[in-house]
Amino acid sequence: MPAPTANNAVCGAVVNGEDRIYSFGGIGTGLDRTDIHRRAYRYSTTMDEWTELAELPDTSGKIASAASIVDGIAYVIGGYHVLAASPWELSSDRVHRLDLASETWLSDGAPIPVPIDDQVQAVWRDSLIYVVTGWSNNTNVAAVQIYDPALDQWRAGTPVPNNNLYKVFGASGTIIGDTIYYYGGASLGSNFPAQDELRIGVIDPSDPTVIAWSPAISTGRARYRTGCGSYAERPFWVGGSAVSYNYDAIAYNGSGVVQPSAELAVHPAQGGPLEVFSVPEGIMDLRGLGELSGEGFHVCGGIGADAEVLATNWLVQATVAIVEEEPRSARVFPVPSSGPITVELLTHAFPDRFTIHNSLGRTVRSGGWNGGAMTLDLSGEAPGAYVLQLFGEGTVQHLRFWIR
């Protein structure tokens, strides 16, 4: 990057057929209040070079904002200013809009109703921006604030449950299909403890303000300010730290400089524990990833070991093994279902037993197979994705379906 920076809002977009990465605001070397800036940068993947853009159109530098792209516009939402006197920190209600084609700042969008920073932010169906929980001036909030860029309007969504398992700052997340995933963050309490929970909510497509929140899942792996993305319809989180800290990388619990994680964690397709992999460098203080249109993403800046503010621009690419798809021995219908499903066998090989797992990896139905087609009633189960496993002699068949 042109200069070391952390706590910067990062996102990616395709402009004129080229993948481009954007960085907005952040904090520079020194990690002091005076090092917080308004600088904006654009990276060209074709030219492998950075260009400095006009600064964020705000009164002073800010950190902990988030950036999303919808229809050729970057929306930089929230963040906070660090002041020299009381109230010391002030959450922002600003919605800055950058036209990516002309690289000019437009007038601000409608202010977010609850000023916010360190929020979870993600785009649903290339149309609505969801701002989930976060910190507002002096507390964590349960608010889900939904921005419609086409109308320049905000709506309130179903809030997250009003407790410290869900209300956090410094968490990160994404939306895959109609499902919101967010993980980690810090909650209210002594020294703002980092959390290990994964939370999942399903958006109702007929009314996107309605979200069905599932019970939080303890992963046993606390993380704060990770970068979040998705690959092959699976959310992943890279970097972050196991201990929460202030903008200067000093732990809230008084233990000193916080060290970053050199890991990437993936939510398994079938649910269950996070799959954790090593990465080359520990990085924390991430506020977004630059996802590419192909298979990859950029990790731009952040804080490394011993509170070093980084100017690195890591390109992370996925390696995919191509395997022959297993022949289907059964089918599930209707999909999606309002509850009842029928499982029809397509071969003469009968399974011995079955299990059904929800998106959290929990078993919701299981039993022996009665032979032939079978109807199973999942009425009362939460909307979302489910996996049916059919166990036969030496084989396991996986069938995915949805409950609406």
Side-chain angles (χ1 to χ4, degrees):
M1 298 187 67
T5 193
N7 218 323
N8 45 322
V10 175
C11 61
V14 177
V15 182
N16 297 327
E18 177 191 55
D19 277 302
R20 295 180 180 178
I21 310 301
Y22 298 86
S23 171
F24 303 103
I27 189 168
T29 300
L31 293 176
D32 184 76
R33 178 185 67 82
T34 57
D35 297 310
I36 297 173
H37 61 80
R38 296 187 292 142
R39 291 191 288 275
Y41 304 112
R42 182 257 294 158
Y43 173 73
S44 164
T45 59
T46 301
M47 302 300 293
D48 186 27
E49 65 182 19
W50 287 90
T51 299
E52 187 161 2
L53 307 177
E55 292 186 330
L56 284 167
D58 210 328
T59 55
S60 63
K62 61 184 175 183
I63 50 180
S65 58
S68 300
I69 308 291
V70 176
D71 197 22
I73 305 293
Y75 296 85
V76 185
I77 299 174
Y80 72 96
H81 306 278
V82 180
L83 311 177
S86 180
W88 309 110
E89 295 180 358
L90 184 65
S91 299
S92 174
D93 66 354
R94 303 285 293 273
V95 177
H96 306 303
R97 303 188 291 186
L98 178 71
D99 184 299
L100 300 184
S102 64
E103 297 188 337
T104 57
W105 291 102
L106 309 174
S107 60
D108 277 2
I112 188 167
V114 178
I116 205 73
D117 62 73
D118 259 323
Q119 72 269 26
V120 176
Q121 186 168 306
V123 176
W124 177 73
R125 297 194 179 189
D126 297 322
S127 62
L128 301 178
I129 301 173
Y130 282 66
V131 176
V132 180
T133 189
W135 184 267
S136 184
N137 288 320
N138 54 19
T139 189
N140 280 329
V141 296
V144 174
Q145 306 181 82
I146 304 171
Y147 181 65
D148 186 335
L151 301 177
D152 189 26
Q153 292 179 351
W154 287 94
R155 289 183 283 174
T158 305
V160 304
N162 190 26
N163 62 64
N164 286 344
L165 294 182
Y166 294 84
K167 296 193 303 182
V168 287
F169 66 95
S172 58
T174 186
I175 297 175
I176 300 175
D178 296 327
T179 303
I180 301 170
Y181 300 87
Y182 76 98
Y183 168 52
S187 66
L188 285 174
S190 177
N191 301 315
F192 302 112
Q195 300 295 312
D196 71 346
E197 280 78 19
L198 170 65
R199 305 89 170 175
I200 298 176
V202 177
I203 300 166
D204 183 346
S206 64
D207 183 354
T209 65
V210 176
I211 305 165
W213 292 104
S214 300
I217 307 165
S218 176
T219 66
R221 181 181 182 273
R223 283 297 181 272
Y224 176 73
R225 284 188 182 158
T226 61
C228 180
S230 64
Y231 172 71
E233 298 190 348
R234 299 166 68 186
F236 64 83
W237 292 268
V238 63
S241 63
V243 177
S244 62
Y245 54 88
N246 208 343
Y247 62 85
D248 55 6
I250 303 298
Y252 288 119
N253 65 15
S255 60
V257 172
V258 172
Q259 298 301 321
S261 165
E263 292 178 340
L264 184 149
V266 183
H267 180 52
Q270 310 302 333
L274 295 176
E275 299 174 0
V276 179
F277 305 90
S278 296
V279 297
E281 181 178 42
I283 301 177
M284 65 187 194
D285 221 38
L286 301 176
R287 292 292 301 151
L289 300 175
E291 289 204 64
L292 303 173
S293 58
E295 311 297 356
F297 59 94
H298 284 253
V299 183
C300 303
I303 296 176
D306 302 319
E308 178 189 5
V309 181
L310 303 173
T312 50
N313 175 19
W314 285 98
L315 169 61
V316 184
Q317 292 178 300
T319 302
V320 183
I322 304 300
V323 297
E324 184 177 347
E325 183 178 353
E326 60 178 319
R328 293 290 182 187
S329 61
R331 73 182 185 104
V332 176
F333 64 92
V335 177
S337 168
S338 59
I341 60 167
T342 297
V343 184
E344 180 184 44
L345 301 180
L346 303 179
T347 70
H348 296 295
F350 295 104
D352 299 319
R353 58 187 178 89
F354 74 94
T355 62
I356 296 177
H357 302 282
N358 63 15
S359 61
L360 310 181
R362 295 178 178 143
T363 300
V364 298
R365 298 287 190 281
S366 64
W369 197 260
N370 297 332
M374 181 181 286
T375 298
L376 303 168
D377 190 358
L378 277 75
S379 299
E381 297 294 341
Y386 290 79
V387 175
L388 168 69
Q389 291 180 299
L390 299 176
F391 297 88
E393 186 175 346
T395 64
V396 181
Q397 178 79 46
H398 297 84
L399 298 170
R400 188 176 177 87
F401 64 96
W402 290 263
I403 298 294
R404 63 188 174 196

